[in-house]
């Protein structure tokens, strides 16, 4: 029975050997199996008594064979698994394996090498020199030189080159190799692997192109603050080369006042947050500081910070200049965005808010301007609603400007303000300016002027002088008194502007032109000499067609012009009569010497006429007492 069992064991072992699972030397197989095949039918007891030593030896051999067979089976199984894993990894990674026999110039490729090079097995010469036919001409010398350089070293090496595939594609190949056998100090065999890294190289090239050609500043740094890579834009911004900056700690260049804030942002990045629009200052080689605006993200697993930045120094200086200009204005100025949120306010706005108890957060950047409605009383609600409608009209681009005046009660009493809203001209981002100006003094002065004007008109209505009030560049008539209508016959509807006055009073075009030119000459002369305008005497045509002699005067008060006229018609007639009497008297004196009675009567009549003209008496009449 034991013999049959051993026979079966031998059969099993033979089958395993024939299947290739293990490899056992033939002499051991014959030595172990031969005796049992010849005495298979002999009992184990009989054989054991006659061959005691042989059985013992055979048992030991059988045990050894069994152990070695099991061990070989286990090792082969592990080997097959390892090979399968390696094949899978090489396949996924697109890696081909090769072996170069330097003495025989024999180059062996695996299947993936043929796939990488796009070559059929029958087309490849199987030598190193034949492989050079596929390498890009510009890379052949470099690749051969790199390989020769590594022959005398047992250290692993790495290189890369481009290949020209038969299908016309140019691919980038990464090579990893090692000299694995040396004889008499000379290399005999090199093994290695190739990997197609075309996509990776192109991605890196695209990244490098973006990194270098972008108008932004790019930087990669570690969480330790050491700069690992920057683009060339930094050289112009900081006046330092890439070689100087890469490997340095960027915090060393940060303005001392900005370092705590910078460290805080680094902590946020390390915690997985992103940073947008952070600003700090960096020292230029010449000692000045440049303001940099950052947007950054970080990868915790790599411990790297990726940042895009802009040099906003000029913009900040312009903003500071603009803020200084705003602060120099006496109005309360606010800059709003297209949604009515505060972007900036000037010093006067802040001072006014502080003086009247308005909290700073109400006009902080980003807060809504419309929140002021909550602080308005019922008595001011109507004016506020009107203002809000106008403001929204400018925000929505339905209007370009809006203005209004309003009053409000403050601690110092009632104050008057004028607000003007206007949009920035032709800007990409809609912004508007809101300006509040305290016009209390002007308002009080204007009210006083209006009262005086009213009083003046009441007085002018009773004066015998004709008064015509003109205002504005278009010289529109604001007022004419009853005397003007009484003298000329024209009302305000007849002569709504100065040009119409000229046309109606001087219908003859030639005469009108001469009078207007003379009038302008006298006005200019008065301005140059700082004296009143010399009166101008003219003949006018009244509405009823009659003609009158009028003396014109001119007074300029601010934007308003007061033209006044005195009717000289009756005075001219009286003067003419007086002159006739005077001439008659002279003739009478010459012809009627001694006729004193008639002389006295004439003198009295002359004195009476002069009195009517507002002149002094010419003759002294004695009563005879």
């Amino acid at each position: 029975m034991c013999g049959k069992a051993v026979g079966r064991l031998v059969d099993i072992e033979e089958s395993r050997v024939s299947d290739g699972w293990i490899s056992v030397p033939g002499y051991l197989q014959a030595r172990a199996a031969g005796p049992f095949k010849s005495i298979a039918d002999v009992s184990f007891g009989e054989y054991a008594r006659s061959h005691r030593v042989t059985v013992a030896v055979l048992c030991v051999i059988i045990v050894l064979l069994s152990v070695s067979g099991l061990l070989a089976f286990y090792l082969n199984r592990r080997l097959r698994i390892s090979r399968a894993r390696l094949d899978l990894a090489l396949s996924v990674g697109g890696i081909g394996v090769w072996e170069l026999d330097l003495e025989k110039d024999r180059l062996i490729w695996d299947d993936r090498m043929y796939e990488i090079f796009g070559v059929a097995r029958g087309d490849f010469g199987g030598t190193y020199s034949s492989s050079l036919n596929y390498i890009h001409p510009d890379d052949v010398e470099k690749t051969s030189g790199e390989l020769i350089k590594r022959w005398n070293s047992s250290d692993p090496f790495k290189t890369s080159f481009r290949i020209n595939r038969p299908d016309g594609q140019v691919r980038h190949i990464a090579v990893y190799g090692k000299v694995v056998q040396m004889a008499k100090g000379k290399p005999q065999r090199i093994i290695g692997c190739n990997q197609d890294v075309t996509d990776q190289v192109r991605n890196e090239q695209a990244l490098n192109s973006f990194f270098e050609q972008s108008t932004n500043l790019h930087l990669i740094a570690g969480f330790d603050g050491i700069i690992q890579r920057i683009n060339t834009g930094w050289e112009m911004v900081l006046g330092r080369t890439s070689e100087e900056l890469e490997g340095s700690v960027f915090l060393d260049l940060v303005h001392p006042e900005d370092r705590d804030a910078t460290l805080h942002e680094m902590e946020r990045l390390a915690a997985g947050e992103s940073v947008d629009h952070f600003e700090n200052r960096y020292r230029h080689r010449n000692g000045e500081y440049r303001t940099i605006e950052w947007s950054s993200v970080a990868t915790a697993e790599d411990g790297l910070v990726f940042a895009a930045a802009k040099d906003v120094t000029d913009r900040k200086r312009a903003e500071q200049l603009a803020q200084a200009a705003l602060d120099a204005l006496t109005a309360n100025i606010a800059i709003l965005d297209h949604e009515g949120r505060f972007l900036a306010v000037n010093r006067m706005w802040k001072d006014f808010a502080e003086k009247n108890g308005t909290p700073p957060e109400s006009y902080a950047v980003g807060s809504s301007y419309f929140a002021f409605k909550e602080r308005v009383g019922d008595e001011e609600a109507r004016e506020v609603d009107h203002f809000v409608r106008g403001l929204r009209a400018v925000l929505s681009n339905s209007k370009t400007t809006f203005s209004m005046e309003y009053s409000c009660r403050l601690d110092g009493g009632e104050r008057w303000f004028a607000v003007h809203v206007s949009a920035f001209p032709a800007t990409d981002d809609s912004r508007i300016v809101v300006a509040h100006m305290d016009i209390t003094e002007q308002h009080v002065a204007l009210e006083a002027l209006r009262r005086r004007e009213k009083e003046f008109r009441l007085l002018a209505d009773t004066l015998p002088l004709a008064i015509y009030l003109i205002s504005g560049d278009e010289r529109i008539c604001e007022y004419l008194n009853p005397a003007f209508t009484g003298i000329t016959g024209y009302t305000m509807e007849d002569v709504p502007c100065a040009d119409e006055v000229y046309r109606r009073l001087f219908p003859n075009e030639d005469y009108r032109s001469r009078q207007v030119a003379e009038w302008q000459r006298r006005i200019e002369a008065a301005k140059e000499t700082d004296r009143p305008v010399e009166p101008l005497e003219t003949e006018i045509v009244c509405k009823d067609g009659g003609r009158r002699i009028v003396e014109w005067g001119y007074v300029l008060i601010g934007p308003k012009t007061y033209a006044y006229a005195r009717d000289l018609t009756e005075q001219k007639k009286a003067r003419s009569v007086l002159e006739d009497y005077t001439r008659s008297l002279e003739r009478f004196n010459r012809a009627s010497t001694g006729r004193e009675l008639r002389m006295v009567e004439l003198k009295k009549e002359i004195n009476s006429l002069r009195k009517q003209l507002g002149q002094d008496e010419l003759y002294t009449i004695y009563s005879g007492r």
Side-chain angles (χ1 to χ4, degrees), residues 284-326:
H284 190 277
R285 180 182 292 278
N286 62 13
E288 73 171 359
Y289 281 89
R290 308 290 297 180
T291 302
I292 309 298
E293 181 183 82
W294 297 90
S295 293
S296 310
V297 295
T299 55
E301 59 273 14
D302 299 325
L304 295 177
V305 175
F306 299 87
K310 294 186 294 184
D311 182 359
V312 296
T313 306
D314 294 338
R315 189 193 75 190
K316 295 293 289 185
R317 289 173 179 170
E319 289 176 353
Q320 292 170 356
L321 180 61
Q323 186 63 51
L326 286 177

Side-chain angles (χ1 to χ4, degrees), residues 28-90:
L28 285 178
Q29 297 179 35
R31 183 82 177 256
F36 291 101
K37 288 183 178 179
S38 62
I39 59 171
D41 296 330
V42 179
S43 66
F44 180 74
E46 294 176 353
Y47 186 85
R49 284 193 296 272
S50 60
H51 298 82
R52 290 180 179 180
V53 177
T54 302
V55 171
V57 172
L58 288 174
C59 287
V60 171
I61 291 173
I62 290 170
V63 171
L64 290 175
L65 286 173
S66 299
V67 172
S68 63
L70 291 172
L71 180 60
F73 172 78
Y74 174 74
L75 292 176
N76 279 328
R77 183 172 180 273
R78 291 294 301 273
L79 180 60
R80 288 198 309 276
I81 293 173
S82 297
R83 284 179 177 174
R85 289 175 176 171
L86 178 60
D87 287 342
L88 179 61
L90 293 174

Side-chain angles (χ1 to χ4, degrees), residues 163-300:
I163 63 171
N164 291 325
R165 288 168 47 116
D167 59 8
Q169 294 187 54
V170 177
R171 310 294 292 180
H172 293 263
I173 307 300
V175 182
Y176 306 86
K178 179 178 174 63
V179 178
V180 296
Q181 185 178 349
M182 301 286 289
K184 298 180 182 180
K186 294 183 178 180
Q188 290 184 343
R189 189 163 56 95
I190 302 176
I191 62 171
C193 58
N194 289 8
Q195 183 178 17
D196 187 337
V197 293
T198 304
D199 292 340
Q200 178 182 344
V201 169
R202 288 174 180 171
N203 289 337
E204 289 179 355
Q205 289 174 344
L207 177 62
N208 290 338
S209 177
F210 168 77
F211 202 83
E212 293 298 335
Q213 296 180 16
S214 173
T215 56
N216 285 337
L217 305 172
H218 294 295
L219 176 145
I220 301 175
F223 284 161
D224 55 5
I226 296 177
I227 300 173
Q228 298 191 11
R229 183 179 177 184
I230 60 171
N231 63 344
T232 54
W234 287 97
E235 297 183 7
M236 181 177 296
V237 172
L238 297 182
R240 305 172 190 271
T241 64
S242 300
E243 291 75 13
E244 291 178 283
L245 293 171
E246 291 177 355
S248 65
V249 179
F250 69 81
L251 200 64
D252 293 341
L253 299 176
V254 176
H255 193 288
E257 296 177 0
D258 298 342
R259 288 179 183 173
D260 289 342
T262 304
L263 289 172
H264 174 70
E265 297 303 316
M266 287 294 292
E267 292 173 358
R268 289 182 57 203
L269 289 168
E273 300 182 45
S274 61
V275 172
D276 293 317
H277 306 297
F278 171 68
E279 294 181 3
N280 59 1
R281 291 165 291 176
Y282 281 76
R283 188 175 67 253
H284 190 277
R285 180 182 292 278
N286 62 13
E288 73 171 359
Y289 281 89
R290 308 290 297 180
T291 302
I292 309 298
E293 181 183 82
W294 297 90
S295 293
S296 310
V297 295
T299 55

Side-chain angles (χ1 to χ4, degrees), residues 207-466:
L207 177 62
N208 290 338
S209 177
F210 168 77
F211 202 83
E212 293 298 335
Q213 296 180 16
S214 173
T215 56
N216 285 337
L217 305 172
H218 294 295
L219 176 145
I220 301 175
F223 284 161
D224 55 5
I226 296 177
I227 300 173
Q228 298 191 11
R229 183 179 177 184
I230 60 171
N231 63 344
T232 54
W234 287 97
E235 297 183 7
M236 181 177 296
V237 172
L238 297 182
R240 305 172 190 271
T241 64
S242 300
E243 291 75 13
E244 291 178 283
L245 293 171
E246 291 177 355
S248 65
V249 179
F250 69 81
L251 200 64
D252 293 341
L253 299 176
V254 176
H255 193 288
E257 296 177 0
D258 298 342
R259 288 179 183 173
D260 289 342
T262 304
L263 289 172
H264 174 70
E265 297 303 316
M266 287 294 292
E267 292 173 358
R268 289 182 57 203
L269 289 168
E273 300 182 45
S274 61
V275 172
D276 293 317
H277 306 297
F278 171 68
E279 294 181 3
N280 59 1
R281 291 165 291 176
Y282 281 76
R283 188 175 67 253
H284 190 277
R285 180 182 292 278
N286 62 13
E288 73 171 359
Y289 281 89
R290 308 290 297 180
T291 302
I292 309 298
E293 181 183 82
W294 297 90
S295 293
S296 310
V297 295
T299 55
E301 59 273 14
D302 299 325
L304 295 177
V305 175
F306 299 87
K310 294 186 294 184
D311 182 359
V312 296
T313 306
D314 294 338
R315 189 193 75 190
K316 295 293 289 185
R317 289 173 179 170
E319 289 176 353
Q320 292 170 356
L321 180 61
Q323 186 63 51
L326 286 177
D327 290 342
L329 299 176
T330 57
N332 302 338
I333 306 292
I335 310 297
L336 308 181
D337 66 11
H338 64 285
E339 294 184 357
R341 293 174 299 203
F342 281 96
L343 296 175
V345 297
N346 70 339
R347 178 182 53 81
M348 290 296 293
W349 187 289
K350 296 176 182 178
D351 293 346
F352 181 85
E354 181 180 357
K355 181 179 179 181
N356 293 282
T358 303
E361 54 269 20
S362 66
Y363 53 83
V365 174
S367 60
S368 175
Y369 183 86
F370 295 103
F372 79 94
K373 292 177 62 179
E374 301 174 0
R375 303 188 298 271
V376 174
D378 294 338
E379 66 279 4
E380 299 170 335
R382 186 173 181 179
E383 286 183 335
V384 169
D385 289 341
H386 178 59
F387 170 70
V388 169
R389 286 194 299 270
L391 178 58
R392 292 192 184 278
V394 177
L395 287 172
S396 63
N397 294 323
S398 60
K399 286 186 176 182
T400 56
T401 61
F402 168 75
S403 299
M404 66 171 287
E405 294 182 5
Y406 65 94
S407 64
C408 62
R409 289 198 167 275
L410 302 174
D411 292 341
E414 187 177 34
R415 306 291 295 180
W416 282 86
F417 293 87
V419 59
H420 182 75
V421 182
S422 59
F424 273 64
T427 56
D428 294 335
D429 51 341
S430 299
R431 299 183 181 185
I432 64 171
V433 181
V434 180
H436 294 263
M437 294 162 282
D438 188 336
I439 60 169
T440 304
E441 294 183 1
Q442 296 94 312
H443 183 78
V444 171
L446 182 59
E447 286 298 316
L449 178 61
R450 287 172 180 169
R451 288 194 300 270
R452 288 195 296 270
E453 186 172 306
K454 184 177 180 181
E455 294 171 355
F456 165 77
R457 291 188 179 186
L458 290 174
L459 177 62
D461 287 346
T462 63
L463 290 175
L465 292 175

